[in-house]
Amino acid sequence: MSKDVGVRIPRPVGNGPSRFILEKEILQVSKLDERIQSIFEDAFAVLGRLDNISLVMGFHPHYLESFLKTQHYLLQMDGPLSLHCRHYIGIMAAARHQCTYLVNLHVNDFLQVGGDPKWLNGLEEAPQKLQALGELNKILAHRPWLLTKEHIERLLKAEEHSWSLAELIHVVVLLTLYHSLASFTFGCGINPDIHTDGGHTFRPPSLSGYCVCDIANGNGTLEEMFGNQQVSELSGEVEVLMEKMKQLQECHDEEEASQEEMATRFEREKTESMLVVTSEDEECVPSRDVSRHFEDPSYGYKDFYRREHVPTLRVQDYSWEDHGFSLVNRLYPDFGQLLDEKFQIAYNLTYNTMATHQGVDTSMLRRAIWNYIHCMFGIRYDDYDYGEINQLLDRSFKVYIKTMVRTPEKITKRMYDSFWRQFQHSEKVHVNLLLMEARMQAELLYALRAITRYMT
């Protein structure tokens, strides 16, 4: 009938929430789990939509609940920043990684809460106070260890364009959240939501599930293109990993490395992590659509690791638990608690399974992933043996981790498929949650340390 009266019906561009995970697998989770249905209903009631990020996070309801609570508090509840400023800062942060998915989401929200459309023409059209965040945005996104108390001082003492300390904490949390959420978005191949730019088309659906360009971009699954031969070749992957975990545990019980040896292993791993080159190392040139929301597009991680020494931040000297948490809670009441809960859930999340194996203690593997990301940021835990990382994380996994944390815009389906090929999608999504939260905490530590140094 709509056809007869000339109404054009929008159709989703992508097949389901993710380019990497079959839609039926994601929908199956929400159909089978009453708790996830209830979380989705609550999210829809609060936000008026259910975005694709939430649908993919639905594999892990306990985490999703915490994530949505944090988002709601950060974007909608009373806080130091006005509502439209919060969304604009989200746009600036997501644009740093060319994440059009998040940019479009927050452009819509920005306009909905009364934001000035002129600001969307480019950062130079926004107020001076917001423009001044450009440097903080780029340093946190790419080289957070370079942040100093002088950067903080410039923002807090800019006469009529000054930020307050409470506002700055809110800013820093927003920037670090949307940098890391861009990593998750690319890492899970999130498709645009139907109501945003690029999320719908008025053409009839194509005959095949994907176009030829998907294969050219590495977005066809290996199984679709070559059958299942690779999977059968990797049949022992999980067992090998479990055996390594068992051997490492036995070594722990027998002897412990000296402090000097532990420090050497950390430095070796940090240097090596700088030299893991992503396999898709071509230049990504941001479109004008996205690059207008941030300054200095050439500033990034590329080539930087070849010449720059990353200083070490010892967790004993500045940690989230002992220092960052209380600073956030003091300047942005109750929010430190919400953030801490989200970090803890991601880090401790386990179903005691690995692929088809039940009753597995995965804590050693989760810790290796978390500490490897922090190691890339120069953050060292004195009580951790960094030799474990090379035992538990193979090269293709390290390439994926480094790309996702550093240049997530370069992630392809081929890279997603190339690590842990026997594992389930829910386990890979769990890995992406770990990467996102570890990255956010690392950026946050450097920002909060700079603020603490300014205050003392």
Side-chain angles (χ1 to χ4, degrees):
M1 174 150 182
S2 56
K3 207 169 171 184
D4 299 339
V5 293
V7 176
R8 302 167 80 212
I9 307 292
R11 299 177 185 280
V13 167
N15 282 335
S18 162
R19 296 193 315 284
F20 297 175
I21 307 167
L22 288 176
E23 184 176 18
K24 65 180 182 191
E25 289 199 36
I26 295 168
L27 295 178
Q28 201 173 9
V29 173
S30 52
K31 278 179 191 161
L32 295 175
D33 193 321
E34 282 181 27
R35 182 180 176 195
I36 202 68
Q37 283 183 356
S38 147
I39 294 169
F40 283 167
E41 284 164 14
D42 291 348
F44 190 82
V46 171
L47 297 168
R49 64 163 187 262
L50 193 56
D51 59 43
N52 287 340
I53 284 179
S54 301
L55 287 168
V56 172
M57 284 182 183
F59 279 115
H60 304 287
H62 187 38
Y63 174 84
L64 176 60
E65 214 163 11
S66 173
F67 174 80
L68 289 171
K69 210 190 302 178
T70 310
Q71 290 277 93
H72 178 60
Y73 195 95
L74 199 55
L75 295 172
Q76 292 168 296
M77 300 288 278
D78 284 348
L81 298 176
S82 62
L83 295 183
H84 64 283
C85 269
R86 300 177 199 197
H87 291 296
Y88 195 78
I89 291 163
I91 292 167
M92 287 173 67
R96 207 56 253 184
H97 281 308
Q98 305 161 41
C99 187
T100 50
Y101 174 89
L102 290 172
V103 169
N104 290 335
L105 213 56
H106 286 282
V107 162
N108 284 357
D109 291 341
F110 172 77
L111 294 171
Q112 214 167 1
V113 296
D116 184 344
K118 279 211 303 274
W119 296 11
L120 300 175
N121 294 334
L123 188 57
E124 67 280 357
E125 297 279 348
Q128 191 68 43
K129 192 172 168 179
L130 280 162
Q131 288 183 44
L133 295 176
E135 192 170 16
L136 178 66
N137 185 21
K138 77 178 185 183
I139 292 174
L140 275 180
H142 304 295
R143 309 174 196 175
W145 48 85
L146 298 182
L147 201 64
T148 63
K149 66 178 184 181
E150 284 74 28
H151 291 113
I152 302 303
E153 188 169 23
R154 282 199 288 274
L155 292 167
L156 296 172
K157 294 189 171 174
E159 293 167 1
E160 73 270 26
H161 305 303
S162 294
W163 295 87
S164 70
L165 262 176
E167 284 176 331
L168 196 57
I169 289 286
H170 201 166
V171 165
V172 156
V173 173
L174 282 164
L175 290 174
T176 56
L177 173 72
Y178 284 103
H179 293 154
S180 53
L181 197 53
S183 285
F184 182 84
T185 302
F186 286 115
C188 291
I190 302 290
N191 279 322
D193 296 318
I194 189 168
H195 67 282
T196 60
D197 282 356
H200 57 266
T201 177
F202 293 103
R203 290 187 310 232
S206 63
L207 293 173
S208 66
Y210 55 64
C211 66
V212 178
C213 60
D214 278 334
I215 297 177
N217 292 332
N219 288 333
T221 67
L222 293 169
E223 286 78 4
E224 282 165 342
M225 290 187 270
F226 305 119
N228 289 321
Q229 72 220 39
Q230 285 94 342
V231 177
S232 60
E233 284 165 19
L234 288 159
S235 56
E237 182 190 30
V238 182
E239 289 76 8
V240 168
L241 192 49
M242 287 170 65
E243 183 57 34
K244 282 181 180 170
M245 284 160 61
K246 188 179 158 200
Q247 286 169 3
L248 284 169
Q249 190 55 57
E250 285 165 1
C251 290
H252 273 196
D253 298 342
E254 284 169 24
E255 59 174 323
E256 228 175 80
S258 68
Q259 278 303 308
E260 291 78 9
E261 178 58 25
M262 300 270 259
T264 304
R265 287 174 189 177
F266 168 78
E267 288 302 327
R268 192 184 302 136
E269 195 55 55
K270 185 174 73 169
T271 306
E272 192 265 350
S273 78
M274 296 295 121
L275 299 172
V276 172
V277 180
T278 63
S279 57
E280 318 280 328
D281 220 12
E282 72 283 351
E283 191 67 65
C284 282
V285 181
S287 69
R288 163 68 188 150
D289 248 19
V290 172
S291 64
R292 63 185 168 187
H293 298 301
F294 64 90
E295 60 171 36
D296 196 1
S298 64
Y299 186 96
Y301 193 72
K302 189 172 169 58
D303 295 331
F304 159 67
Y305 56 83
R306 297 179 196 279
R307 61 174 188 271
E308 194 84 20
H309 172 69
V310 177
T312 295
L313 184 161
R314 291 172 74 240
V315 167
Q316 280 68 13
D317 299 333
Y318 200 92
S319 71
W320 165 253
E321 291 78 10
D322 297 332
H323 307 91
F325 170 78
S326 53
L327 179 61
V328 173
N329 245 15
R330 189 161 88 241
L331 293 169
Y332 191 3
D334 301 328
F335 192 69
Q337 195 65 49
L338 281 174
L339 263 185
D340 188 59
E341 185 184 290
K342 189 162 70 79
F343 290 145
Q344 293 284 345
I345 289 170
Y347 186 86
N348 294 314
L349 188 65
T350 183
Y351 306 96
N352 297 308
T353 59
M354 278 176 69
T356 55
H357 297 266
Q358 308 289 322
V360 185
D361 179 0
T362 62
S363 54
M364 186 181 281
L365 186 56
R366 283 181 277 121
R367 190 175 184 195
I369 293 167
W370 186 278
N371 287 4
Y372 180 59
I373 293 152
H374 278 200
C375 177
M376 284 167 51
F377 284 89
I379 297 169
R380 181 187 166 207
Y381 296 82
D382 283 357
D383 62 346
Y384 183 68
D385 179 357
Y386 286 85
E388 291 184 11
I389 289 172
N390 274 336
Q391 296 285 319
L392 299 175
L393 313 183
D394 65 26
R395 186 163 183 80
S396 63
F397 192 18
K398 283 182 167 182
V399 167
Y400 177 81
I401 292 174
K402 181 173 180 187
T403 309
M404 185 163 149
V405 171
R406 283 279 167 227
T407 49
E409 57 277 14
K410 293 181 180 178
I411 288 279
T412 64
K413 181 148 178 37
R414 188 182 290 117
M415 293 172 80
Y416 174 88
D417 284 338
S418 71
F419 81 92
W420 282 14
R421 291 187 226 180
Q422 280 191 294
F423 286 74
Q424 298 170 35
H425 286 298
S426 61
E427 291 171 306
K428 290 195 170 194
V429 171
H430 182 191
V431 164
N432 286 343
L433 294 178
L434 271 175
L435 302 190
M436 172 171 85
E437 294 298 344
R439 176 186 177 175
M440 181 178 178
Q441 193 182 92
E443 280 189 34
L444 207 47
L445 274 181
Y446 283 109
L448 297 174
R449 184 181 68 166
I451 291 171
T452 301
R453 284 177 172 174
Y454 165 78
M455 290 167 71
T456 48

